[in-house]
Each structure stands twice: as C-alpha cells, then as structure tokens.
Amino acid sequence: MESQTDWEALQKKTEEEIEQAVQDDPDAILLDEEWFEKAKLVVPASDKERITIRLDEDIVEHFKQGGPGHQSRINNVLRAYVTAKRFGERIPNSCPSGAFGNRI
C-alpha cells in the first residue's frame, strides 16, 4: 500500500502546528508523557504460521472496527483462550453447544 502522507508538507510543520492538527482531529489522540511511561514494547513473534481460516463475517467486522492490526487482535484473543485452557481456567461457554468440541 502506497503512503498517502505528504512528507514534504509534514516536515515543514512546527511541533505546535502538528499538535494543533492532532487536537483538531476527532479521531486522533495526543499521547502524553504518562502514556509513554506506561507503554510497553511488544515485539511480534517471528515464528507465526500463515494460514487460511474462515470466520463469521460479524466476527471479522468486529475486529476490523478497531483499525489496523485486526489479525493480531484475533491472535491475542486465541492466545488468551489457549493460555486459560492450559492453566485450567474455566472458560465461559457463550458459544453454541459443542462449538469447540474437545480439540481445544
């Protein structure tokens, strides 16, 4: 995907102009020092396997609504589920009976 950013125009802006543009954008969030203090670096595992999977449309739409990174969010949900199962946590059964069978 080709970048739509006008890098030349951006380089000409001052920090104040950039901060004002972020404040004027209802979808943008200006990150403060507290955010950076609490932020944790998360490096994706390089040993991921590329697969093809069929998911219900509403499930895919739900994760896509969060913006870029929807596949990573799906992976995180699956990881949390598998981790909970490994440690014997009870998983609420909000899915149709037998949806997971005995394979997970």
Side-chain angles (χ1 to χ4, degrees), residues 1-97:
M1 176 179 214
E2 187 176 329
S3 173
Q4 297 180 5
T5 302
D6 184 347
W7 294 107
E8 187 175 325
L10 181 60
Q11 289 175 341
K12 293 178 182 177
K13 291 189 180 287
T14 66
E15 283 296 316
E16 292 78 22
E17 290 173 318
I18 293 171
E19 285 186 21
Q20 186 61 52
V22 172
Q23 290 174 1
D24 293 343
D25 184 342
D27 296 324
I29 299 171
L30 190 57
L31 304 177
D32 58 12
E33 290 300 318
E34 180 183 359
W35 186 92
F36 285 99
E37 289 171 7
K38 293 180 179 180
K40 294 180 183 176
L41 176 62
V42 177
V43 179
S46 60
D47 56 347
K48 290 187 177 182
E49 182 177 343
R50 181 180 299 268
I51 65 167
T52 300
I53 185 172
R54 293 183 178 272
L55 301 171
D56 294 337
E57 288 181 23
D58 61 323
I59 299 299
V60 175
E61 182 58 32
H62 171 80
F63 282 94
K64 282 187 172 183
Q65 286 177 356
H70 70 279
Q71 291 179 346
S72 293
R73 287 190 295 278
I74 292 169
N75 188 74
N76 291 342
V77 168
L78 292 171
R79 174 159 306 287
Y81 181 87
V82 170
T83 300
K85 293 290 279 189
R86 283 182 183 158
F87 288 101
E89 294 178 23
R90 187 176 181 285
I91 307 296
N93 188 7
S94 61
C95 297
S97 178

